[in-house]
Amino acid sequence: EAAVTQSPRSKVAVTGGKVTLSCHQTNNHDYMYWYRQDTGHGLRLIHYSYVADSTEKGDIPDGYKASRPSQENFSLILELASLSQTAVYFCASSSGTGAYEQYFGPGTRLTVL
Amino acid sequence: GDSVTQTEGLVTLTEGLPVMLNCTYQSTYSPFLFWYVQHLNEAPKLLLKSFTDNKRPEHQGFHATLHKSSSSFHLQKSSAQLSDSALYYCALSDGSNYAQGLTFGLGTRVSVFP
């Protein structure tokens, strides 16, 4: 099973501040994803990446940027954090073969005040 | 676009009784279907995935059958355990581009009581 880690595990940020969430995977997977989880909305895709130095917009990219500096690392950046971005954020990776099943990290609980 | 619809809200049941969670989907192309389980304060974990050859996937006593004719992938277990209490997500990967991420349903919370 894929080993995906996230940091920090929780964070409190102020409205208008910059927040960076980091994700690291050690299983040589090409594909990486960022989702947010909200009660009543399930898991929704924010950004994803096929390869280092390239990112793609998911279903809800507004207010978020992503960075993939290497195969192992994928960051989610909130340039101007807002109250509506309070949520739990999950990173996931996939080998890109077979059914493209994804393996998730432990999540980051972000609270914007 | 793709969409997934699950049994809504909370399902409560007594230990030892059967459980069935409904999942139907809409997708233009032939998708893969998945069930993920998330225990409290943990990451979603893959429980089952569909096969292309109509085999019925099974794991930890759970099974699901992909019915393309009805666009369904219902999750079943014959005898619920206390440890099955969790949030369950049905998800699909789009057949036109499997790599572009999963589309999830809203999730179904299952609570099993003694």
Side-chain angles (χ1 to χ4, degrees), chain B residues 6 13 21 24 40 113:
Chain B
Q6 296 183 232
L13 65 155
L21 303 183
T24 57
L40 192 62
F113 294 94

mmCIF file of all heavy atoms in Angstrom, chain B residues 6 13 21 24 40 113:
data_model
loop_
_atom_site.group_PDB
_atom_site.id
_atom_site.type_symbol
_atom_site.label_atom_id
_atom_site.label_comp_id
_atom_site.label_asym_id
_atom_site.label_seq_id
_atom_site.Cartn_x
_atom_site.Cartn_y
_atom_site.Cartn_z
ATOM 1 N N GLN B 6 -25.249 8.033 -3.508
ATOM 2 C CA GLN B 6 -25.218 6.982 -2.488
ATOM 3 C C GLN B 6 -26.428 7.066 -1.582
ATOM 4 O O GLN B 6 -27.103 8.107 -1.520
ATOM 5 C CB GLN B 6 -23.991 7.152 -1.580
ATOM 6 C CG GLN B 6 -22.675 7.006 -2.224
ATOM 7 C CD GLN B 6 -21.565 7.121 -1.188
ATOM 8 O OE1 GLN B 6 -20.643 7.898 -1.361
ATOM 9 N NE2 GLN B 6 -21.635 6.323 -0.119
ATOM 10 N N LEU B 13 -27.691 0.047 12.460
ATOM 11 C CA LEU B 13 -28.136 -1.341 12.465
ATOM 12 C C LEU B 13 -27.533 -2.081 13.645
ATOM 13 O O LEU B 13 -26.572 -1.609 14.273
ATOM 14 C CB LEU B 13 -27.789 -2.039 11.154
ATOM 15 C CG LEU B 13 -26.337 -2.251 10.793
ATOM 16 C CD1 LEU B 13 -26.191 -3.430 9.842
ATOM 17 C CD2 LEU B 13 -25.795 -1.019 10.066
ATOM 18 N N LEU B 21 -25.430 -0.893 1.225
ATOM 19 C CA LEU B 21 -25.328 0.524 0.906
ATOM 20 C C LEU B 21 -25.454 0.680 -0.607
ATOM 21 O O LEU B 21 -24.736 0.040 -1.366
ATOM 22 C CB LEU B 21 -23.982 1.091 1.378
ATOM 23 C CG LEU B 21 -23.661 0.921 2.856
ATOM 24 C CD1 LEU B 21 -22.329 1.586 3.178
ATOM 25 C CD2 LEU B 21 -24.765 1.447 3.740
ATOM 26 N N THR B 24 -25.278 4.367 -7.113
ATOM 27 C CA THR B 24 -25.545 4.431 -8.546
ATOM 28 C C THR B 24 -24.706 5.547 -9.141
ATOM 29 O O THR B 24 -24.301 6.475 -8.437
ATOM 30 C CB THR B 24 -27.032 4.680 -8.857
ATOM 31 O OG1 THR B 24 -27.435 5.885 -8.205
ATOM 32 C CG2 THR B 24 -27.898 3.528 -8.371
ATOM 33 N N LEU B 40 -13.176 7.080 11.980
ATOM 34 C CA LEU B 40 -13.105 8.405 12.584
ATOM 35 C C LEU B 40 -11.666 8.893 12.685
ATOM 36 O O LEU B 40 -10.795 8.191 13.202
ATOM 37 C CB LEU B 40 -13.759 8.366 13.965
ATOM 38 C CG LEU B 40 -14.025 9.724 14.615
ATOM 39 C CD1 LEU B 40 -14.991 10.541 13.764
ATOM 40 C CD2 LEU B 40 -14.574 9.526 16.019
ATOM 41 N N PHE B 113 -24.610 -1.117 16.286
ATOM 42 C CA PHE B 113 -24.800 -1.188 17.737
ATOM 43 C C PHE B 113 -24.896 -2.637 18.192
ATOM 44 O O PHE B 113 -25.366 -3.495 17.450
ATOM 45 C CB PHE B 113 -26.073 -0.430 18.126
ATOM 46 C CG PHE B 113 -25.987 1.037 17.872
ATOM 47 C CD1 PHE B 113 -26.458 1.572 16.673
ATOM 48 C CD2 PHE B 113 -25.440 1.885 18.810
ATOM 49 C CE1 PHE B 113 -26.374 2.937 16.435
ATOM 50 C CE2 PHE B 113 -25.352 3.250 18.574
ATOM 51 C CZ PHE B 113 -25.820 3.776 17.381
#
